[in-house]
Amino acid sequence: MAVGAGLLALAGGAYGVARETSAFAVTRVEVVGAPTHVRAQVRQAVAPLRGGSLLSLDGAALLRRVDALPTVVASGYDRAFPHTLRITVVPEQPVAVVRQGSKSWLASARGRVMTPLAPRAAERLPRVWIPRSTPVMVGRFLPVAHAGVVTRSLALARRFPAHIVLAALKRDGLVFRLRSGLELRLGEPTDIRLKLAIATRALPDLPGGVTYLDVSVPGRPVAGNNPQVSGGD
């Protein structure tokens, strides 16, 4: 028992010494699971941890630091001894450009504001216009009543075969305007996958001159000609 206690004390002492020395100092940060620009942001965010010991690393504080980045959904970490801190990242997925007057921001599938943009940047992403009174802050989530619902719906439309150029939530429901000029009316922002599947099957069979396709009632899609289609940016 005395020998065991001695060994335990020795191990504890060695651990304490290792925590305070450079034996396990962080000299390399490895980031996986994210695109290049997000990896760079993560490395910059954790730069103050370089030189600290892997043994004394505060894991909870590390994750809070990384998860606070507007381009990150969640993260995890691993101590790769002797000197590497490995961080795994689940990145935000951009789905739209939010417009407010002359200002633009990149928005994620969860409705999170990721970064400011030039008005003409990310041209392949749909535009979502919001009122000037809507508060917008990088890292925060868009109000559900405005762009939040729209961006979440666009996240479900990433495999939709037609190019969506504009999305809006109006009094009569969710509307996507396609590059062809067709207005796709989805009604209440529910059952989005089902409505888009119906629209996907209907689009190739639409006659010429049709300006809208209404799938707000999934079992009864309606197509027609309406000169008052949505405007663009």
Side-chain angles (χ1 to χ4, degrees), residues 40-135:
Q41 291 171 359
V42 172
R43 282 192 290 268
Q44 183 178 3
V46 303
L49 302 179
R50 285 183 176 272
S53 173
L54 283 172
L55 293 175
S56 60
L57 177 69
D58 185 339
L62 166 68
L63 296 183
R64 285 195 298 271
R65 184 187 292 263
V66 176
D67 293 351
L69 293 172
T71 52
V72 173
V73 175
S75 61
Y77 74 96
D78 180 39
R79 297 177 176 91
F81 290 101
H83 300 296
T84 300
L85 173 61
R86 182 176 294 115
I87 302 173
T88 303
V89 172
V90 177
E92 294 279 6
Q93 298 297 324
V95 297
V97 174
V98 173
R99 295 294 308 273
Q100 186 183 64
S102 61
K103 298 179 181 179
S104 300
W105 297 267
L106 188 65
S108 78
R110 300 193 303 155
R112 192 180 189 188
V113 181
M114 299 174 64
T115 185
L117 290 176
R120 296 293 178 184
E123 290 187 344
R124 288 197 58 80
L125 291 179
R127 266 46 183 172
V128 179
W129 286 87
I130 59 176
R132 292 180 182 271
S133 59
T134 303

Side-chain angles (χ1 to χ4, degrees), residues 113-211:
V113 181
M114 299 174 64
T115 185
L117 290 176
R120 296 293 178 184
E123 290 187 344
R124 288 197 58 80
L125 291 179
R127 266 46 183 172
V128 179
W129 286 87
I130 59 176
R132 292 180 182 271
S133 59
T134 303
V136 181
M137 185 177 295
V138 174
R140 299 289 181 87
F141 288 87
L142 294 162
V144 174
H146 294 154
V149 167
V150 181
T151 55
R152 286 168 172 78
S153 299
L154 286 169
L156 301 175
R158 280 181 287 185
R159 295 187 179 182
F160 188 62
H163 186 191
I164 302 167
V165 297
L166 184 70
L169 186 62
K170 301 184 175 183
R171 290 183 179 179
D172 53 353
L174 183 65
V175 175
F176 291 166
R177 197 189 73 183
L178 310 184
R179 175 181 282 177
S180 64
L182 183 78
E183 186 177 82
L184 179 60
R185 303 174 183 176
L186 295 102
E188 291 295 318
T190 57
D191 299 321
I192 299 298
R193 285 193 178 93
L194 174 60
K195 293 173 182 177
L196 291 175
I198 293 170
T200 298
R201 296 185 62 180
L203 284 175
D205 299 324
L206 293 179
V210 168
T211 59

